[in-house]
Amino acid sequence: MCGASAPSPEEAALARSVGRRLAERGALVLCGGLGGVMEACAEGVREAGGTSIGLLPGWDPDEAAEAIGVALPTGLGEVRNALLARACVAMVAVGGGYGTLSEIAFARRLGRPVATLSSWQLHRDGAQIDDPDLFAAGSPAAAVDWALDHVPD
Amino acid sequence: MCGASAPSPEEAALARSVGRRLAERGALVLCGGLGGVMEACAEGVREAGGTSIGLLPGWDPDEAAEAIGVALPTGLGEVRNALLARACVAMVAVGGGYGTLSEIAFARRLGRPVATLSSWQLHRDGAQIDDPDLFAAGSPAAAVDWALDHVPD
Amino acid sequence: MCGASAPSPEEAALARSVGRRLAERGALVLCGGLGGVMEACAEGVREAGGTSIGLLPGWDPDEAAEAIGVALPTGLGEVRNALLARACVAMVAVGGGYGTLSEIAFARRLGRPVATLSSWQLHRDGAQIDDPDLFAAGSPAAAVDWALDHVPD
Amino acid sequence: MCGASAPSPEEAALARSVGRRLAERGALVLCGGLGGVMEACAEGVREAGGTSIGLLPGWDPDEAAEAIGVALPTGLGEVRNALLARACVAMVAVGGGYGTLSEIAFARRLGRPVATLSSWQLHRDGAQIDDPDLFAAGSPAAAVDWALDHVPD
């Protein structure tokens, strides 16, 4: 799960719902461990009794949002975005800027399916790309269902 | 410099021209060190008497394209994309897939100016984003001039 | 927790005991996720009802030892040793070769206390170094007690 | 080339001599790019008309010592030690603390030959280890000759 560090209230609500639904489906939820959609998602995970792991960019476990279950400081800065894409089996992105775009790109480069909510659209030669493993979802439920249904075997 | 590992002949010609022009302007040219636009770019650098450095994804210096000046194996796989974005002061992207998109996103996340040639267009909310440090160039000359003019102080 | 990938039966027994004791003390146990002392340690953690996380060097979560609780593929190769040293608050090393030595060195470089069992001794100028945060323990109980007592605030 | 960031005058002189000799033998010299033995080594390389590359731990190319030929900021912190060990074909270590020990360990883990000058000695079971690819050299000339003679094919 990845997305905006400074989300709108709507994006935060989407992220919380994504976290709750992922946990209800039994998924272990990885995120970047800081505030914004990461924190909202971790709160949703906690509400549903699930487990979240935060891969922190810095060295200090205390940087993690309070709702994060397990905080792993990596000290890698933005490189932890690549690590998150490697460590997951499917991704849901909510909102977000260039950091989120790097996570989407890495995840797709590695073959992970990516569902987006209120996030980037990718064009080439003036037209939106056609990638069956990249899905612009209309709701948290649709994003979570699609992502979990598209986990590679 | 980054871009497609399996470029069209047109993209390879663009990359060679970019490499030659960067070297003529005295730039040290970093790339991913393998084939495709990386190799074409390195050939252009060599033609102009410049120096290229290839940050290889694997462990074996012999994986580098023959034209690469200095090959540095990183063993980091696609994470070397993030390293390339960190190590550069400006980026030119030619063509490319999700790996190139990750480099563009990382470079912009880190504040590096990025000129693109025949590459990704980024949209949000149905419209192309407005980012003064991301430039869709019409020619190698325009890409190189813009990139070098936008290197942060 | 780190150590030999091809341990002696004695080292494997030490590692299993370390894992069990860490879990009994309520510690979250990080290791490299593969076989050898990592697997033995994870088995000890599981016996005590605790949680282990394996930071795998490769891309494939199925590479993890069966007893690992949560497997996180990093794709970083031996660089994950540095990550393990960053992510932990204290380290116990059992046996091991140069990979384990790199983990001990990184952990001490970052200020983490390190207890060793049947592992490296470090000399400078012909004499064993004097480092109050590096402890050659005589038993798993001593290693675990010392490590948990020396976690920095 | 790696070693102490705060060397004694004797260690700095050793490092400068190592740099000069490596460059005279035509080697491309990689180091960590900061002060101490890294800087002294780079000065030696420059005196001999050679090329040095500094893999910086931080983001800022201006952190590099003035004598470094090419500065590559990695932003990886101490993880760049692992990168240095990957990128080299042989290592010379002068003095140094735990950071240098991590570089020695990584280099040996990856099969690179390592010559040491006034640096760590490694013991197991109470005796110095017997590793034909780890050489405690008595002089810069001996270190450089041995290292270049032991580069794997």
Side-chain angles (χ1 to χ4, degrees):
Chain A
M1 204 281 165
C2 64
S5 53
S8 67
E10 291 75 20
E11 290 170 338
L14 291 172
R16 180 187 290 258
S17 176
V18 166
R20 201 169 49 234
R21 289 167 190 278
L22 284 169
E24 287 168 356
R25 293 279 301 266
L28 178 72
V29 182
L30 291 169
C31 73
L34 301 180
V37 302
M38 303 174 255
E39 181 168 23
C41 175
E43 290 169 354
V45 171
R46 188 168 57 180
E47 287 166 19
T51 302
S52 64
I53 298 182
L55 296 176
L56 297 170
W59 299 84
D60 184 358
D62 295 338
E63 285 177 347
E66 188 267 334
I68 295 291
V70 177
L72 296 180
T74 69
L76 294 176
E78 296 299 320
V79 167
R80 74 89 153 73
N81 295 1
L83 212 63
L84 191 68
R86 284 185 172 173
C88 75
V89 293
M91 181 178 282
V92 178
V94 178
Y98 282 118
T100 303
L101 181 61
S102 75
E103 291 171 305
I104 296 170
F106 260 115
R108 289 300 306 123
R109 178 71 180 79
L110 300 174
R112 273 64 160 154
V114 178
T116 61
L117 277 166
S118 189
S119 187
W120 295 90
Q121 299 110 37
L122 305 175
H123 289 234
R124 287 299 289 269
D125 302 325
Q128 192 154 349
I129 60 163
D130 180 30
D131 177 349
D133 289 315
L134 181 65
F135 174 58
S139 71
V144 167
D145 287 349
W146 183 90
L148 295 182
D149 288 350
H150 285 74
V151 171
D153 294 330
Chain B
M1 205 281 164
C2 65
S5 53
S8 67
E10 290 74 21
E11 289 171 338
L14 290 171
R16 180 186 290 258
S17 177
V18 166
R20 202 169 48 234
R21 289 167 190 279
L22 284 169
E24 286 168 357
R25 293 279 301 265
L28 178 72
V29 181
L30 290 169
C31 73
L34 300 181
V37 302
M38 304 174 254
E39 181 168 24
C41 175
E43 289 169 353
V45 171
R46 188 168 59 180
E47 286 166 17
T51 301
S52 64
I53 297 183
L55 295 176
L56 297 170
W59 300 84
D60 184 358
D62 296 338
E63 284 178 348
E66 188 266 334
I68 295 291
V70 177
L72 296 180
T74 70
L76 293 176
E78 296 300 319
V79 166
R80 73 86 152 77
N81 294 2
L83 212 63
L84 190 68
R86 284 183 172 175
C88 75
V89 293
M91 182 178 281
V92 179
V94 178
Y98 282 117
T100 303
L101 180 62
S102 75
E103 292 171 305
I104 295 170
F106 261 114
R108 289 301 306 123
R109 178 71 181 76
L110 301 174
R112 274 64 160 153
V114 178
T116 61
L117 277 166
S118 189
S119 188
W120 294 90
Q121 299 110 37
L122 305 175
H123 289 235
R124 288 298 288 269
D125 303 325
Q128 193 154 349
I129 60 162
D130 180 29
D131 177 349
D133 288 315
L134 180 65
F135 174 58
S139 70
V144 167
D145 287 349
W146 182 89
L148 295 182
D149 288 352
H150 285 74
V151 171
D153 292 331
Chain C
M1 203 279 164
C2 65
S5 53
S8 67
E10 290 75 20
E11 289 170 337
L14 291 171
R16 179 187 291 256
S17 176
V18 166
R20 202 169 48 231
R21 288 166 190 278
L22 284 169
E24 286 168 354
R25 294 279 301 266
L28 178 72
V29 181
L30 290 169
C31 72
L34 301 180
V37 301
M38 304 174 253
E39 182 168 22
C41 175
E43 289 170 352
V45 171
R46 188 168 59 180
E47 287 166 16
T51 302
S52 64
I53 298 182
L55 295 176
L56 298 170
W59 300 83
D60 184 358
D62 295 338
E63 286 177 348
E66 188 266 335
I68 295 290
V70 177
L72 295 180
T74 70
L76 293 176
E78 296 300 320
V79 166
R80 74 85 151 78
N81 294 0
L83 212 63
L84 190 68
R86 284 184 173 174
C88 74
V89 293
M91 182 178 281
V92 178
V94 178
Y98 282 117
T100 303
L101 180 61
S102 75
E103 290 170 304
I104 296 171
F106 261 115
R108 289 301 306 123
R109 178 72 180 77
L110 300 174
R112 273 64 161 154
V114 178
T116 61
L117 277 165
S118 188
S119 187
W120 294 90
Q121 299 109 36
L122 305 175
H123 290 235
R124 287 299 289 268
D125 302 324
Q128 193 153 349
I129 60 164
D130 180 29
D131 177 350
D133 288 314
L134 181 65
F135 174 58
S139 70
V144 168
D145 287 348
W146 182 90
L148 295 182
D149 288 350
H150 284 74
V151 171
D153 293 331
Chain D
M1 204 280 166
C2 65
S5 53
S8 66
E10 291 74 21
E11 289 170 338
L14 290 171
R16 180 187 290 258
S17 177
V18 166
R20 201 168 50 233
R21 289 167 191 278
L22 284 169
E24 287 168 355
R25 294 279 301 264
L28 178 71
V29 181
L30 290 169
C31 72
L34 301 180
V37 301
M38 303 175 254
E39 181 168 23
C41 175
E43 290 169 354
V45 170
R46 188 168 59 180
E47 287 167 17
T51 303
S52 64
I53 298 182
L55 295 176
L56 298 170
W59 299 84
D60 185 358
D62 295 338
E63 286 178 349
E66 188 266 336
I68 296 290
V70 176
L72 296 180
T74 69
L76 294 176
E78 296 299 322
V79 167
R80 72 87 152 79
N81 294 0
L83 212 62
L84 191 68
R86 284 184 174 176
C88 76
V89 293
M91 182 177 281
V92 179
V94 178
Y98 282 118
T100 303
L101 181 62
S102 75
E103 291 170 304
I104 296 171
F106 261 115
R108 290 299 308 123
R109 178 71 180 79
L110 301 174
R112 273 67 160 151
V114 177
T116 61
L117 277 166
S118 190
S119 188
W120 294 90
Q121 300 110 36
L122 305 175
H123 290 234
R124 288 298 289 270
D125 303 323
Q128 192 153 349
I129 61 163
D130 180 29
D131 177 349
D133 289 314
L134 180 66
F135 174 58
S139 71
V144 167
D145 287 348
W146 182 89
L148 295 182
D149 288 352
H150 285 74
V151 172
D153 293 331

